[in-house]
Amino acid sequence: MTPWMTFVLLFGGLLLLALAGALLGGLRKRMVAGRTAARARAREAAETAALNQSILRMGMVAILVVDQDGAVIFSNPEARRLFAVEEDEIKARPLERWITNMSVARLKAIAGRGGDKTAGKYFSAKSSNGAALVLDIRADYWLSPDDQERFTVMLRDATVLSEIATAQERWDRALKSAGIGIFDVDLRHGRSVVTETWKTMFGFDPKGEIDSQAEWESRIHPEDKPRVFAADQACVDGKAERTDNEYRFLRADGKWIWTRSNAVVTEWSSDGKALRMIGVQSDITALKEAEEALRSSETRFRNAIENAPMPMVITDEHGHCLNANRAFKDFIGYGLEDVRGESFLAIVHPDDGGQKEGGLDLVQLDRLRDGEVRAYEVEMRFVHKNGSDRWGYLTVSIDRDAHGAPLYFIIQIKDITEQKGVDQIKSDFVATVSHELRTPLTSIHGALRLLQDTTQGKLPQGTDRLLSIAQTNSKRLISLVNDILDLEKISSSDSVFKLAPRDICKLTRGTVEANMPLAADSGVTLNVVHDAESCFANVDETRFSQVLTNLISNAVKFSPEGGVVEIALETDAETLRIVVTDQGPGIPEDFEDKIFQRFSQADSSSTRKKGGTGLGLFISKLMVEKMGGQIGFISGRGEGACFWITFPLEKPVISSAAGDEPAPVEPQRSCPPAILHVEDDADFSEVLTASFKERAKIFTATHLSEARVMIGKRPFDLIIIDWDLPDGNGRALIPEIAQVNGDTPVIGLSSSEPEWEDEHVLHHLVKTRTSVEDIVQIALSTIHP
């Protein structure tokens, strides 16, 4: 081998070696660079994964990762907060556990992988503590490296938004149903947007296109337009916070209506210029018509009050006068200008003011305020401007506001001054009649009876018959006077009933015994039937006996000779019943509805066989009802009449047991007993004295002064007093009798029954109602019980 060849080979080998070295160096560099890039990519992937994990953990949106079976494989903290669970409580649990009906198929639909897209819809859910949730759900579908289906689910709590949407929907419905239209005005361009309700309210097609701003401006009533525009401009200029306008508006159908609009500026430019105004508008035509009707009604009401013929006053709650009409001025002499603001009490008579608020009864006012009564009535005296007294019959009512609160009192006054004058004349007349008739009638009847008793068989033939006729007619006259005076007294407010529990069995027996002579004279027998020895009811003893006497006398009057009148007492658990039955002809059917009317008689002819005034049953009914009872009848034609009275049964009055109290010491009596009769009618005194005969010694006094002298001189076993004496009321003697004569019993014998009670007065007897014989018997039985 030549050196050249050797050189060539050596050089080539060296060159190949250098090339191989260079190739290996490049490969080494590329391998280092690859390893560096791989490490960088791995580091970047790790950083990206960490960043994703951090985003998932720190995200403000709840995120779940769900596998192909619908099980949760990942949840971020916000998702766990939303469902109120820990990580181990939600992981591997099916999504349907938390979200209602959330299946894999529905997730695919939300992710757009099949079916209808339901993205953006709200879904119902529930947290672990039971709280209801509304969720807005978004989902993304993807595959894992091993081709497993995965869903990333984003959840947004839309509970509040759902409630807002529901509230907005309700608000829209409310505005529509209330007929409230909404307008939104672009102030820069002079255009507006209105709701369908606005269009409908003003007669436009709700779906039609209109230039609402132009329509609105052109349809405002010309008289109202300047005022409306000025108010809106003040709001636009910032001089007013809002506008509030009521004005007339011409609907599209040509009808004028009243409307009300409220608007505010909601948007301003940076330089303070108004850009947008929003407001509401409503139809107030019905309200305006109601206001006009109310104004008309108030005007008519004021005119009605002002022109009413009856005096009327309106006061506040405390009785201060607010208004009064012309009739009130005529009644009292004071006009509205005199009484406005003054207390109503200022014109009320001092004796009638009492414990009252503004002259009105406090108790009744409270009942009015509380709604217990709608009105109350009262008689009251007023002081006229000229100083005279005026009588008024007041009806007081109350007016209230829409909430029921009292506003004022309305007082209507009926002028009864003249009626009161007539009543006083009538009262004086009745008192005069009572005194001037009862005393002489009792004297006449007593004298006739004495004459009959003392001259029987000694007078010429026929004289006895004349005395009998005189006595019978005196009885009729007494009965007439009694009925008329009783009717007047009971019908008036002066009538006082002294109610107390009384033994009705005992009272009935006593009344029947008192009527035995009457029945005997007519050939009629009285028969008492009762199922108990005693039974009590709350009655006035005198009035009860008067009612029962009236029923018995009627039964006797209509019974045939030889007939029987039965008086029966019946009781049940709560009621006491007294029944008076006769064997007469009964009550005519056409008279039954009139039987309790005044002056009613079955035979009202001038030739009627039976006497009477026709007032007895009417008076009896008044008395029974005032005592809290009832009265009625049962009758069959030709089968007699049956009248009944009922009273609530009272518990028996328990008397003290024997020996509980010491027996009273019997006072020493004169023989014969001494009786002082204080009476200014000498004739009556003489008749009564003669009626006692030798059974008592009678001393008479005609005046209080004379009686005082006699009481001071000697003791009396009984004192009989007429309360109406020339020099005063006989009641003034009672304290003096108690002081001087100790326990001397007192009997009142007067023309009328007094309205007072006194423990020293054992009996109140009324002339004509008590015969002279009964007076004598009562007096003697009082002295010798």
Side-chain angles (χ1 to χ4, degrees):
M1 181 177 299
T2 62
W4 174 251
M5 290 180 64
T6 302
F7 174 76
V8 171
L9 289 171
L10 181 62
F11 180 77
L14 292 171
L15 183 59
L16 287 173
L17 184 60
L19 288 173
L23 181 60
L24 288 173
L27 287 173
R28 187 164 47 256
K29 289 180 181 180
R30 283 164 58 187
M31 288 179 64
V32 170
R35 284 196 297 270
T36 301
R39 282 195 297 271
R41 284 196 298 274
R43 188 167 51 252
E44 182 179 355
E47 289 176 356
T48 300
L51 177 62
N52 288 338
Q53 288 291 334
S54 176
I55 290 172
L56 290 174
R57 284 193 303 271
M58 302 299 294
M60 297 302 293
V61 177
I63 298 175
L64 300 174
V65 177
V66 181
D67 64 14
Q68 70 275 7
D69 297 322
V72 177
I73 59 177
F74 172 82
S75 63
N76 72 342
E78 183 62 22
R80 294 193 292 274
R81 186 200 62 78
L82 179 65
F83 291 111
V85 294
E86 300 296 333
E87 184 174 6
D88 58 345
E89 292 179 281
I90 192 171
K91 192 171 184 179
R93 298 286 183 91
L95 188 59
E96 284 185 309
R97 166 69 176 79
W98 312 105
I99 304 174
T100 305
N101 298 326
M102 185 53 66
S103 61
V104 172
R106 177 160 287 186
L107 278 177
K108 287 182 178 180
I110 295 173
R113 303 292 296 181
D116 297 330
K117 280 187 73 78
T118 56
K121 283 191 175 181
Y122 291 144
F123 295 87
S124 298
K126 186 176 290 187
S127 67
S128 64
N129 58 18
L133 302 172
V134 178
L135 302 178
D136 182 11
I137 299 179
R138 300 290 189 275
D140 183 50
Y141 175 86
W142 52 281
L143 295 175
S144 69
D146 55 352
D147 293 329
Q148 297 294 315
E149 290 181 323
R150 296 289 185 269
F151 299 92
T152 301
V153 183
M154 281 198 319
L155 310 170
R156 187 163 64 97
D157 188 355
T159 305
V160 175
L161 294 176
S162 175
E163 292 174 354
I164 292 174
T166 301
Q168 181 65 37
E169 183 181 354
R170 290 174 181 167
W171 174 246
D172 291 341
R173 285 201 304 267
L175 290 175
K176 188 172 183 179
S177 62
I180 297 176
I182 301 175
F183 57 85
D184 187 345
V185 184
D186 182 351
L187 298 173
R188 290 170 295 187
H189 303 97
R191 294 193 297 268
S192 64
V193 178
V194 296
T195 60
E196 292 182 1
T197 305
W198 190 96
K199 295 178 184 178
T200 301
M201 181 168 54
F202 294 125
F204 297 105
D205 180 358
K207 302 295 184 182
E209 293 293 330
I210 61 171
D211 185 346
S212 55
Q213 190 64 19
E215 292 285 3
W216 176 76
E217 292 178 356
S218 65
R219 291 178 178 276
I220 300 175
H221 195 284
E223 295 177 2
D224 300 334
K225 187 175 293 186
R227 173 172 52 82
V228 174
F229 282 9
D232 284 353
Q233 191 61 47
C235 187
V236 169
D237 294 343
K239 297 177 181 178
E241 184 180 349
R242 62 192 306 115
T243 67
D244 187 352
N245 292 312
E246 293 182 0
Y247 52 92
R248 288 161 288 181
F249 191 90
L250 182 63
R251 281 172 46 99
D253 58 8
K255 179 182 177 182
W256 285 100
I257 64 170
W258 275 94
T259 181
R260 181 176 184 177
S261 64
N262 291 272
V264 294
V265 174
T266 59
E267 188 176 340
W268 303 82
S269 65
S270 58
D271 59 355
K273 185 177 180 180
L275 302 177
R276 185 182 185 190
M277 177 182 278
I278 295 178
V280 295
Q281 202 156 357
S282 57
D283 183 351
I284 61 169
T285 306
L287 177 61
K288 284 292 183 180
E289 291 174 349
E291 288 177 351
E292 180 59 31
L294 180 60
R295 279 192 295 270
S296 299
S297 175
E298 288 177 345
T299 300
R300 289 194 299 271
F301 178 70
R302 283 194 297 270
N303 290 337
I305 290 179
E306 183 63 23
N307 299 315
M310 179 179 290
M312 298 180 70
V313 183
I314 296 176
T315 75
D316 63 16
E317 276 196 275
H318 305 292
H320 296 101
C321 298
L322 303 175
N323 198 359
N325 64 355
R326 285 197 294 265
F328 178 78
K329 183 174 183 179
D330 296 339
F331 171 67
I332 203 67
Y334 296 103
L336 178 60
E337 66 279 2
D338 300 314
V339 299
R340 191 195 301 273
E342 297 294 328
S343 172
F344 189 66
L345 184 61
I347 56 174
V348 174
H349 193 283
D351 293 343
D352 291 352
Q355 297 298 317
K356 299 184 178 183
E357 181 175 346
L360 304 177
D361 188 282
L362 289 173
V363 174
Q364 295 293 350
L365 288 183
D366 287 340
R367 296 185 68 203
L368 271 179
R369 290 190 186 100
D370 296 340
E372 294 180 20
V373 293
R374 296 183 62 183
Y376 84 89
E377 299 173 340
V378 63
E379 287 185 1
M380 189 176 289
R381 281 175 296 174
F382 296 87
V383 181
H384 193 276
K385 192 174 184 179
N386 62 17
S388 63
D389 289 350
R390 304 286 292 178
W391 274 96
Y393 186 82
L394 279 64
T395 301
V396 184
S397 57
I398 193 169
D399 193 33
R400 303 178 184 275
D401 63 17
H403 305 291
L407 288 175
Y408 46 78
F409 293 107
I410 302 172
I411 306 170
Q412 301 178 66
I413 307 171
K414 181 181 179 182
D415 186 355
I416 58 172
T417 306
E418 185 176 344
Q419 178 186 330
K420 280 292 183 179
V422 172
D423 288 345
Q424 186 59 47
I425 293 172
K426 184 170 64 173
S427 177
D428 293 342
F429 173 75
V430 169
T432 301
V433 169
S434 177
H435 185 268
E436 298 302 328
L437 284 183
R438 275 185 159 157
T439 300
L441 280 174
T442 307
S443 300
I444 292 170
H445 182 70
L448 288 171
R449 184 61 182 263
L450 277 173
L451 188 58
Q452 263 190 325
D453 290 345
T454 57
T455 61
Q456 192 169 10
K458 299 177 182 178
L459 294 175
Q461 188 176 2
T463 305
D464 286 344
R465 173 62 182 157
L466 293 176
L467 284 175
S468 178
I469 292 172
Q471 189 177 22
T472 300
N473 282 279
S474 70
K475 282 185 179 180
R476 292 180 61 184
L477 187 56
I478 288 173
S479 177
L480 173 63
V481 171
N482 283 339
D483 285 349
I484 292 175
L485 295 179
D486 285 344
L487 175 61
E488 170 58 29
K489 190 170 185 64
I490 294 171
S491 300
S492 72
S493 58
D494 296 333
S495 178
V496 176
F497 280 66
K498 303 162 187 174
L499 301 180
R502 305 292 185 186
D503 187 343
I504 301 301
C505 293
K506 182 179 179 181
L507 283 179
T508 300
R509 287 192 294 267
T511 305
V512 170
E513 289 174 6
N515 282 275
M516 286 289 190
L518 171 70
D521 290 344
S522 300
V524 175
T525 301
L526 302 183
N527 184 31
V528 180
V529 179
H530 52 85
D531 55 8
E533 285 302 316
S534 63
C535 47
F536 287 79
N538 211 35
V539 299
D540 181 305
E541 183 174 344
T542 302
R543 265 50 181 270
F544 173 83
S545 296
Q546 187 176 339
V547 170
L548 188 55
T549 294
N550 187 39
L551 296 182
I552 292 173
S553 63
N554 276 349
V556 169
K557 186 185 344 181
F558 290 99
S559 292
E561 188 172 353
V564 176
V565 173
E566 182 177 275
I567 302 94
L569 280 80
E570 305 165 355
T571 59
D572 57 27
E574 298 179 350
T575 307
L576 183 151
R577 182 181 176 97
I578 304 100
V579 183
V580 178
T581 307
D582 64 47
Q583 296 175 340
I587 301 168
E589 186 175 347
D590 59 353
F591 183 67
E592 289 183 355
D593 59 343
K594 306 182 188 73
I595 196 164
F596 288 113
Q597 296 178 7
R598 66 180 74 195
F599 302 110
S600 293
Q601 291 181 312
D603 177 12
S604 58
S605 67
S606 59
T607 58
R608 61 181 182 268
K609 298 177 182 179
K610 308 295 183 182
T613 62
L615 289 171
L617 289 175
F618 176 74
I619 294 172
S620 295
K621 186 173 188 294
L622 290 179
M623 288 183 175
V624 169
E625 290 176 350
K626 281 182 176 287
M627 290 187 287
Q630 293 180 320
I631 186 171
F633 67 93
I634 302 170
S635 178
R637 186 63 176 161
E639 299 177 1
C642 172
F643 282 85
W644 52 263
I645 315 167
T646 61
F647 293 100
L649 196 62
E650 295 288 328
K651 292 182 178 179
V653 177
I654 306 300
S655 301
S656 300
D660 287 352
E661 297 179 1
V665 177
E666 185 70 23
Q668 290 186 345
R669 303 295 184 188
S670 305
C671 187
I675 299 176
L676 173 60
H677 183 202
V678 186
E679 168 65 61
D680 64 323
D681 189 296
D683 292 339
F684 181 71
S685 292
E686 188 175 344
V687 170
L688 187 60
T689 299
S691 299
F692 274 99
K693 300 178 182 177
E694 296 83 14
R695 291 173 289 184
K697 183 173 179 59
I698 308 300
F699 298 82
T700 59
T702 58
H703 293 73
L704 285 174
S705 56
E706 186 180 354
R708 288 190 176 102
V709 172
M710 298 181 72
I711 291 171
K713 283 184 176 180
R714 61 157 297 159
F716 291 97
D717 299 300
L718 175 68
I719 299 177
I720 302 174
I721 305 174
D722 185 341
W723 306 122
D724 300 316
L725 296 170
D727 55 345
N729 193 299
R731 188 180 183 185
L733 292 173
I734 296 176
E736 299 176 34
I737 295 170
Q739 183 178 2
V740 176
N741 283 271
D743 296 330
T744 301
V746 176
I747 292 177
L749 178 58
S750 192
S751 299
S752 60
E753 187 176 357
E755 307 300 339
W756 48 267
E757 288 282 357
D758 192 294
E759 61 180 354
H760 295 95
V761 181
L762 301 184
H763 302 283
H764 284 291
L765 305 180
V766 178
K767 297 171 182 177
T768 70
R769 187 158 299 288
T770 313
S771 68
V772 173
E773 296 89 340
D774 289 341
I775 296 171
V776 171
Q777 291 301 323
I778 292 171
L780 294 176
S781 63
T782 302
I783 298 172
H784 303 290

